[in-house]
Each structure stands twice: as C-alpha cells, then as structure tokens.
Amino acid sequence: MAKFVVLLGPPGVGKGTQAKIISDQTGLKHVSSGDLFRENLKNKTALGELAQSYMTKGDLVPDDVTIAMIKERITRLDCEAGAILDGFPRTPAQADALANMLNELGGAQVNCAPWITAPEAILIERLSGRWTCRANGHVFHETNNPPKSKSVCDFDGSELYQRDDDKSDTVVRRIQVYLGQTAVLADYYRARKTLVEIDGTQSIENVSAALLATLKQ
Ligand code: ADP
Ligand code: ADP
C-alpha cells in the first residue's frame, strides 16, 4: 500500500529541508505545493499568474485550484509508492480533499502527519536568512546551513536567491495565516491518530533522526 506523509508546521520551521532528506532516505517522492506554484510562476502558466497575487501578499491560494494542482501531481506514476507532502494541506478543506483523492487511489490514506514546531522568533530568523535554489528548490541558510560557495546550490550548481515573500512584512503575514488557517490541522490529524509532534528547534540532523524514527514505526 502506498505511504503518504504530510509534513505540518509553520513557514520556516524546516519542512522543505526535511522533506528532501527523508525523500532521499525513503525513496518517497517529495511534493511541495509552494515549489509547484513557483514552477508555474516561472513558466508563466495561467495557474502561476493566478497564484502570484496571493503568494506575494503571503495569503493562501484558493482551495479549488490548489487541490486540483496536487491531485494532478500525486496521481502521476512517480507517486505510486506514496509521497511526502510539504505545504499541503493548509486548510481543513484541503485535508478532506486529500483524504478523498487518496481513497480514490486504491484506498490509500495519510499514514503519518509529523507536526514540526518552533517559536516565532526562530521562524523569522530562519526565513530571513533562507536562500533557495532556482532549479530544484533546495534550501540553505546564510548562517545555520550555508552553501559551500556563496549563491551557488551545492546539489545542482544553480543560482541561489532570496524569495520575495521571505521579506519581513510578508513573513509576519504568512505566520499569521498559518496560525489562523493551518494550525487547526494539528487537531485534524490528532483526531485521526496520525499526528506526531517534533521539536523543530533541534539541529537539522536531529530533526531528521526524529522523523525517520517516526516513519519506521
Ligand atoms: P519550510 O519549508 O518549513 O518553510 P525550510 O526547510 O525552507 O522551511 O527552512 C527554512 C530555513 O531554515 C532555511 O534557510 C533552512 O536552511 C533553515 N533550517 C531548516 N531547518 C533548520 C534547523 N533545524 N536548524 C536551523 N536552520 C534550519
Ligand atoms: P513556506 O516556505 O512558508 O512553507 P511555501 O513555499 O510552502 O512556503 O508556500 C509559499 C506560498 O505558496 C504560500 O504563502 C501560499 O501563497 C502558497 N501556497 C503553498 N501551498 C499552499 C496551499 N497548500 N494552499 C494555499 N496556498 C499555498
């Protein structure tokens, strides 16, 4: 049976960083809703244009288009064994839609929902120092996790840039949006007995170890 992991947690807590590590270790595909939107933006698709105004403000893209985008992605062959979902779902309506789409995929379900948390000051510090790679969304931090050479991705050699929405006003808005619309998903998955709380203030290595231990259970 396919295995689906939902990484929950506020912006900047380390979901993307961890998703890449555990994807390498488990072979499960990393599916990031933010990366998919940014890819659409880069390719100037209609979806990208629609998403841009929301992303620039730090607001959520409407559920219907977000759900359709994820459904299209996880029904591809490379997610046959499952996936690590990073940044989706972000609302209860998205979580319900995910449950339905997995059920249609031969009765799969969300097996595990790690909820990574850290205080707001840490999130702001991580987002303001984040550098992202243009080609594949690898992330670095200027002090916590610097690339070997400045502005170049260690993994694929592409250029590193600072996301527009990692600027301070938008960061504060994104954290508010998380608290107002997404944090409730901890209760959603707790009620379904899939929530596992992970302390996101630990080092990248220790968070990965905690996640991998959880996934093995
Ligand atoms: P998210 O996907 O949850 O928004 P990221 O994985 O992009 O978060 O991480 C945000 C920033 O914090 C990046 O610059 C990343 O290098 C850094 N980071 C991630 N995890 C940790 C950690 N455990 N300790 C210190 N810095 C971290
Ligand atoms: P973060 O690093 O904060 O976790 P993401 O890269 O996941 O950020 O998301 C960037 C932006 O893309 C969000 O602020 C939002 O506008 C949009 N977005 C990403 N995922 C979703 C989603 N599941 N629902 C609605 N909007 C989303």
Side-chain angles (χ1 to χ4, degrees):
M1 177 64 71
K3 184 164 186 153
F4 286 88
V5 178
V6 161
L7 285 186
L8 297 171
V13 79
K15 300 180 299 298
T17 302
Q18 296 300 332
K20 288 214 154 39
I21 296 170
I22 57 176
S23 167
D24 286 347
Q25 301 266 338
T26 61
L28 295 173
K29 192 78 193 163
H30 173 201
V31 172
S32 155
S33 47
D35 285 353
L36 290 172
F37 282 130
R38 281 183 289 277
E39 214 174 283
N40 275 280
L41 259 166
K42 195 163 77 180
N43 296 333
K44 300 193 167 33
T45 68
L47 174 61
E49 266 165 40
L50 183 145
Q52 181 164 33
S53 55
Y54 297 96
M55 294 173 78
T56 309
K57 282 188 261 172
D59 289 336
L60 295 185
V61 180
D63 282 339
D64 53 349
V65 289
T66 304
I67 289 166
M69 175 181 78
I70 292 293
K71 186 167 186 183
E72 189 282 323
R73 184 66 194 84
I74 66 171
T75 46
R76 284 194 224 161
L77 215 55
D78 60 1
C79 293
E80 207 173 28
I84 297 159
L85 301 181
D86 156 20
F88 181 91
R90 261 171 152 100
T91 62
Q94 292 181 13
D96 284 338
L98 176 63
N100 289 336
M101 63 179 99
L102 293 184
N103 194 31
E104 284 169 17
L105 276 178
Q109 54 187 344
V110 172
N111 300 89
C112 182
W115 182 35
I116 315 175
T117 56
E120 187 162 329
I122 290 190
L123 305 176
I124 292 174
E125 187 263 332
R126 288 187 185 173
L127 291 169
S128 58
R130 171 160 71 181
W131 287 80
T132 302
C133 110
R134 286 215 189 267
N136 294 302
H138 293 111
V139 291
F140 298 86
H141 188 278
E142 56 193 18
T143 49
N144 303 341
N145 179 28
K148 291 197 186 85
S149 53
K150 198 174 163 7
S151 303
V152 180
C153 178
D154 288 1
F155 302 102
D156 56 35
S158 78
E159 183 201 12
L160 300 178
Y161 73 106
Q162 284 193 292
R163 279 169 45 180
D164 278 344
D165 61 346
D166 282 346
K167 307 221 164 93
S168 66
D169 288 357
T170 318
V171 162
V172 170
R173 171 78 192 142
R174 282 160 61 208
I175 294 172
Q176 279 171 353
V177 167
Y178 168 80
L179 294 173
Q181 300 188 59
T182 306
V184 65
L185 291 183
D187 295 332
Y188 182 102
Y189 286 108
R190 190 180 288 116
R192 286 158 182 78
K193 312 232 178 301
T194 42
L195 193 83
V196 183
E197 294 187 36
I198 307 268
D199 174 8
T201 65
Q202 307 172 83
S203 67
I204 293 177
E205 294 71 25
N206 287 354
V207 175
S208 303
L211 281 169
L212 287 165
T214 296
L215 296 185
K216 278 198 190 111
Q217 279 166 17

